[in-house]
Amino acid sequence: MADDNKSANLPALSKQVTELVLAGSLSHAEEAFAEAADQFGDLAVVEVLNNIPPQVTALHMAGFDGGKLSLTTLLVPPKAWADSLAFIAATWPDDQIEDDPERIAESLFAHIHGVAFATDDEERRNELLAAASATDHGATIFAILFSLAPKEILEVAGEVISKGPYLTGQTSSDSDIVPVAIALAQASEDGWDRALFELFPEFRHSADLADAEYDDDPDAEPSILQRSTKELLYRLRKQVPSTRSAKTSRRSVGTNIFS
């Protein structure tokens, strides 16, 4: 009977959470998830997150900024999270992309790190990072993070080539970006490569990139072509899908930022 009740309540819960998120009531959406988890178990939350529109999940998770206390952060399925990331750039003000791109990139880092490292479950982390980096928008997102520490990313690229799965992640700095880069390289070789080549578009082979040298001098002629944080943010903005093709019964509610 409990399973029957759960099946009957999931569509209603999906509708409730969607309406709460679109109305900006993120804390109430989390409360609805918590009640469902208490009554039916965590899998009920997972099923709802698998079925609500990805743009709704993006709005919900952006509000928590990767907070570890969010049930959505802890339970979001890898594919649902990967799909939601396509819409995250729609929540950014245009003037902030232009005037303070690093701040947006740091907020994006907090989100990615918060979800991927919300628990110590390495298998889940690998699944999350592999799913997130398997898409064009995912590759752009990781390139945005890497643009905050390009020298360290080149050092990690060298380690990946020389040590493979035995890389230690030792670089010349203690940048918070490095553990995410290493986790991505361990989770998905293809995802790691795609992010690298999105940041450094002239390179198509990791071995060549590993031999590249990064010049810290801002006045020096760059020896390698690197996309800037701002350029990558605009690239991600162009990759935001139109919700006209999204299957949601409340498309007209609160979707202006996604048009």
Side-chain angles (χ1 to χ4, degrees):
M1 181 67 76
D3 287 341
D4 291 341
N5 288 339
K6 183 180 77 170
S7 299
N9 278 279
L10 286 181
L13 179 60
S14 298
K15 183 174 184 291
Q16 178 189 15
V17 168
T18 297
E19 292 179 349
L20 286 169
V21 171
L22 291 178
S25 300
L26 304 187
S27 61
H28 291 107
E30 279 290 312
E31 288 175 13
F33 273 147
E35 290 174 7
D38 289 341
Q39 189 171 358
F40 303 115
D42 288 350
L43 285 179
V45 178
V46 172
E47 288 184 47
V48 170
L49 288 168
N50 265 327
N51 286 293
I52 62 176
Q55 63 268 32
V56 174
T57 302
L59 266 180
H60 190 181
M61 300 192 75
F64 284 94
D65 202 20
K68 295 182 180 180
L69 296 180
S70 164
L71 266 181
T72 309
T73 297
L74 294 170
L75 298 175
V76 64
K79 178 66 165 56
W81 183 50
D83 291 344
S84 77
L85 290 173
F87 294 91
I88 200 165
T91 66
W92 301 332
D94 291 336
D95 58 347
Q96 195 171 36
I97 294 179
E98 188 63 30
D99 299 335
D100 201 358
E102 285 76 19
R103 182 178 176 184
I104 293 179
E106 289 167 359
S107 176
L108 185 58
F109 168 78
H111 176 81
I112 299 297
H113 187 278
V115 175
F117 291 86
T119 72
D120 295 328
D121 186 342
E122 188 173 340
E123 183 178 352
R124 173 172 166 78
R125 181 180 306 147
N126 288 339
E127 291 173 355
L128 286 163
L129 293 173
S133 62
T135 62
D136 290 341
H137 61 265
T140 304
I141 282 172
F142 282 104
I144 290 169
L145 305 191
F146 295 168
S147 72
L148 296 173
K151 179 180 180 182
E152 290 78 4
I153 292 303
L154 284 178
E155 292 180 25
V156 172
E159 282 234 325
V160 169
I161 291 301
S162 63
K163 299 181 181 178
Y166 304 104
L167 75 163
T168 62
Q170 293 180 343
T171 66
S172 59
S173 81
D174 57 356
S175 168
D176 292 337
I177 306 296
V178 170
V180 173
I182 292 171
L184 175 61
Q186 292 173 331
S188 171
E189 181 179 351
D190 181 64
W192 164 248
D193 283 345
R194 291 181 67 177
L196 280 181
F197 303 146
E198 184 73 4
L199 178 60
F200 302 109
E202 285 186 340
F203 289 90
R204 285 295 175 268
H205 300 287
S206 297
D208 296 336
L209 187 57
D211 292 334
E213 293 185 3
Y214 189 84
D215 197 331
D216 286 321
D217 185 357
D219 298 323
E221 187 72 21
S223 57
I224 55 176
L225 178 64
Q226 175 202 325
R227 289 191 173 109
S228 69
T229 303
K230 182 188 296 184
E231 182 182 358
L232 289 164
L233 290 173
Y234 279 122
R235 281 175 69 81
L236 185 61
R237 171 61 69 83
K238 291 177 181 178
Q239 293 170 326
V240 175
S242 167
T243 57
R244 291 182 179 88
S245 60
K247 296 180 179 178
T248 168
S249 61
R250 299 188 60 83
R251 218 166 42 200
S252 62
V253 180
T255 55
N256 290 342
I257 64 170
F258 298 119
S259 60

